[in-house]
Amino acid sequence: MPLVNTTEMFKKAYEGGYAIGAFNVNNMEIVQGIVDACNELKAPVILQVSGSARKYARHKYLYNMVMAAVEETGLPIALHLDHGSSFELCKDCIDSGFTSVMIDGSHLSFEENIELTKKVVEYAHAHNVTVEGELGQLAGIEDEVNVEKTSYTDPGQVEEFVSRTGVDSLAIAIGTSHGAFKFKPGQKPELRFDILQEVMDRLPGFPIVLHGASSVLPEYVELINKYGGQMDDAIGIPEEMLRKAASMAVCKINVDSDLRIAMTAGIRKHFAENPKHFDPRQYLGEGREFITKVVKHKIENVLGCAGHAFD
Ligand code: G3H
Ligand code: 13P
Ligand code: ZN
């Protein structure tokens, strides 16, 4: 099976009441760690690349690693641009083999967001590439921009946005946020399920995306803290909330921070237990195993997409 776009994946996920994991990739160990987990559990997957990941690892390297994963596993894999910041970047990714792009116009006015998203959709659809748009704005750090406060999605805008742009999926802001420090210590994690429900009522059958959806699993944070790190205040989205979202209209759940935390925990543990090691294959190998472990955990405990690769 070649790379796929997100159309079929989302249709099945919506009908099946589960979500597809969209995991950020930056290097070979991360790609392999994710794909090994998906292969073992027969899970469809979205591998996503941010603008800064593309600069770091370079397009050809990431693209060919993802193609190797497709060839090795035969899994349905979509290669997605995360937080596309311009038409030009989206076009470049479409022209060079991505099967899905996000155009993130969430910081623009409603009309400007529509105009930019529509332009990307027209180009993408002519190339069989699916497009994710965003309405509302998440808090947190993303591509060096720090957004202080969530601007919740206004459900009253979603039908007009989707019909005027033609987007295939929509990211909404309901209280998730980017990074590992999503809530202040003592603050009760809360998501606005009322907004998600209203969006669902207004857009029946339409796939919704949750960014900033890492759970910040204590098992990994504890290892980081035990071995010299300082992540005491890290707080993520409770898993039961993500499960609830996945059973509703949310078909794509974005995870980056949980991968970063797991890999860092694995590497810190490795060095603490093997202070004489200096072969990158040894510590990166343990980092890769930690990625596989956390992705399996996500598939089984949050996403519910195990076994759906070849439905
Ligand atoms: O939402 C942003 C992702 O976590 C990607 O982060 O731009 O540091 O690669 P990055
Ligand atoms: P996290 O920081 O919660 O992993 O979110 C990642 C994300 O939304 C990538 O677009
Ligand atoms: Zn994001």
Side-chain angles (χ1 to χ4, degrees):
M1 178 184 288
L3 276 176
V4 296
N5 67 25
T6 56
T7 307
E8 278 299 303
M9 276 186 187
F10 287 169
K11 189 168 177 289
K12 289 181 194 162
Y14 199 107
E15 284 164 4
Y18 63 88
I20 312 288
F23 299 102
N24 286 73
V25 295
N26 299 283
N27 67 14
M28 184 189 78
E29 284 74 15
I30 297 175
V31 172
Q32 290 179 335
I34 297 164
V35 170
D36 287 352
C38 296
N39 201 22
E40 199 178 320
L41 298 178
K42 297 293 164 251
V45 67
I46 298 169
L47 299 176
Q48 58 186 11
V49 174
S50 68
S52 52
R54 199 160 175 258
K55 270 194 211 130
Y56 172 79
R58 305 201 289 271
H59 177 87
K60 274 201 172 61
Y61 289 83
L62 284 175
Y63 179 78
N64 283 299
M65 282 190 285
V66 170
M67 291 312 287
V70 169
E71 195 181 318
E72 190 179 77
T73 64
L75 287 173
I77 299 179
L79 175 57
H80 175 78
L81 170 66
D82 190 26
H83 292 285
S85 53
S86 65
F87 173 79
E88 290 69 29
L89 176 58
C90 291
K91 179 178 181 302
D92 200 29
C93 288
I94 294 164
D95 291 346
S96 50
F98 280 50
T99 51
S100 174
V101 294
M102 174 191 192
I103 177 68
D104 185 352
S106 60
H107 55 290
L108 301 173
S109 71
F110 186 60
E111 284 301 323
E112 287 167 340
N113 191 357
I114 288 181
E115 194 186 325
L116 175 61
T117 305
K118 189 170 184 286
K119 188 172 169 193
V120 172
V121 168
E122 277 164 7
Y123 190 78
H125 283 183
H127 295 80
N128 196 29
V129 168
T130 40
V131 181
E132 173 185 327
E134 179 164 349
L135 265 183
Q137 223 181 351
L138 271 65
I141 298 173
E142 162 199 312
D143 250 346
E144 290 149 27
V145 181
N146 194 351
V147 181
E148 278 278 320
K149 237 174 140 260
T150 306
S151 304
Y152 292 100
T153 302
D154 173 0
Q157 292 185 327
V158 298
E159 293 147 289
E160 186 179 349
F161 186 81
V162 168
S163 68
R164 284 179 60 195
T165 59
V167 274
D168 303 283
S169 62
L170 182 67
I172 61 170
I174 59 168
T176 59
S177 64
H178 289 109
F181 304 89
K182 299 185 190 296
F183 302 95
K184 301 214 166 58
Q187 189 186 357
K188 193 167 164 264
E190 249 165 345
L191 295 187
R192 293 283 305 272
F193 282 102
D194 58 320
I195 296 180
L196 175 57
Q197 184 61 55
E198 200 177 335
V199 169
M200 244 177 116
D201 294 343
R202 287 170 180 267
L203 295 173
F206 192 80
I208 299 302
V209 177
L210 271 196
H211 282 247
S214 280
S215 310
V216 185
L217 298 162
E219 140 186 26
Y220 299 102
V221 174
E222 278 160 22
L223 275 180
I224 289 178
N225 290 336
K226 178 172 170 191
Y227 295 122
Q230 288 183 355
M231 293 197 68
D232 302 297
D233 292 347
I235 305 175
I237 311 294
E239 292 190 327
E240 67 273 14
M241 292 187 189
L242 296 168
R243 277 196 294 272
K244 181 172 169 184
S247 74
M248 297 170 72
V250 171
C251 294
K252 173 174 179 273
I253 291 192
N254 282 15
V255 175
D256 188 358
S257 298
D258 277 339
L259 303 181
R260 295 176 178 190
I261 291 169
M263 190 165 196
T264 301
I267 293 171
R268 278 193 182 274
K269 173 177 161 291
H270 188 90
F271 278 125
E273 290 171 352
N274 305 279
K276 292 194 169 158
H277 277 183
F278 60 91
D279 180 343
R281 291 172 296 188
Q282 292 170 320
Y283 58 85
L284 292 178
E286 183 137 13
R288 179 173 61 187
E289 281 169 22
F290 269 61
I291 296 263
T292 300
K293 198 157 75 134
V294 78
V295 172
K296 278 170 70 178
H297 176 92
K298 295 264 145 199
I299 292 171
E300 289 179 320
N301 294 281
V302 170
L303 300 162
C305 58
H308 289 293
F310 305 109
D311 286 351

